[in-house]
Amino acid sequence: MNGLSAIPDWFALRWANARPRSRLVIGALVVALIGLIGLTPKSFFGVPLAWPYVGLSAAGGWGRSGRGFGPMVFLLLFGFAQDASQAPWGSHALANLLTYGFSAMVTQMADTERTPLLSFALPVVTLFFGIALVWLTASISSGHLVRITPMLTAYFATLVVHMLISPLFNLRARRVGGGVSV
């Protein structure tokens, strides 16, 4: 039993010592995996399930770590991959990048590390901003207002998934044992 209880500690220590580039790649792999699973049919007793916009979740999470070129490249790739299946070319990529920039801007303006309320509210607002952008581009490209209910269910699914995997998007490496934080 002791061996099994040490596994989470081992992962936490490895994650704390991981470099930002490794954290970025691991987060990107998780987003890609969730995206690939999203290509399968999703229904429960005939009721279609809402699938999260995990690219927006990554945009909000990586934006909290500040701006960088690596996350932007992955967000563009995720957006184009999502556009290939269901949207006008570039619309999800644009929503991902704007959400990333919005998250980085709000994080830079507010001290979210010391304010628990802001730390909770920032992902809620950032993901809502991203979903609103997706809804707006879908409405403009279709020529009419798209139904809001599916977008809201996707928003809540994205928010739940973000709460579960948001530590994967923290690119700030904190060294255990007195090292310098990046």
Side-chain angles (χ1 to χ4, degrees), residues 134-148:
V134 171
W135 175 80
L136 184 64
T137 56
S139 294
I140 290 171
S141 67
S142 67
H144 60 82
L145 293 178
V146 175
R147 288 185 35 228
I148 196 75

Side-chain angles (χ1 to χ4, degrees), residues 75-134:
L75 292 171
L76 277 174
L77 293 174
F78 296 145
F80 288 144
Q82 199 167 5
D83 290 340
S85 65
Q86 63 184 356
W89 190 252
S91 61
H92 282 97
L94 179 64
N96 286 349
L97 288 179
L98 289 175
T99 302
Y100 175 70
F102 181 71
S103 177
M105 178 190 71
V106 172
T107 301
Q108 186 178 6
M109 287 180 3
D111 186 12
T112 59
E113 296 297 323
R114 287 188 248 167
T115 311
L117 179 63
L118 283 178
S119 183
F120 171 77
L122 180 64
V124 172
V125 171
T126 303
L127 292 176
F128 187 78
F129 174 78
I131 291 290
L133 286 173
V134 171

Side-chain angles (χ1 to χ4, degrees), residues 26-100:
I26 290 169
L29 289 174
V30 168
V31 169
L33 178 67
I34 293 172
L36 286 174
I37 294 171
L39 296 175
T40 62
K42 299 160 295 297
S43 65
F44 187 68
F45 293 111
V47 177
L49 300 175
W51 197 251
Y53 287 90
V54 75
L56 290 176
S57 181
W62 285 333
R64 291 182 74 175
S65 297
R67 292 179 302 269
F69 186 70
M72 285 193 257
V73 169
F74 279 119
L75 292 171
L76 277 174
L77 293 174
F78 296 145
F80 288 144
Q82 199 167 5
D83 290 340
S85 65
Q86 63 184 356
W89 190 252
S91 61
H92 282 97
L94 179 64
N96 286 349
L97 288 179
L98 289 175
T99 302
Y100 175 70

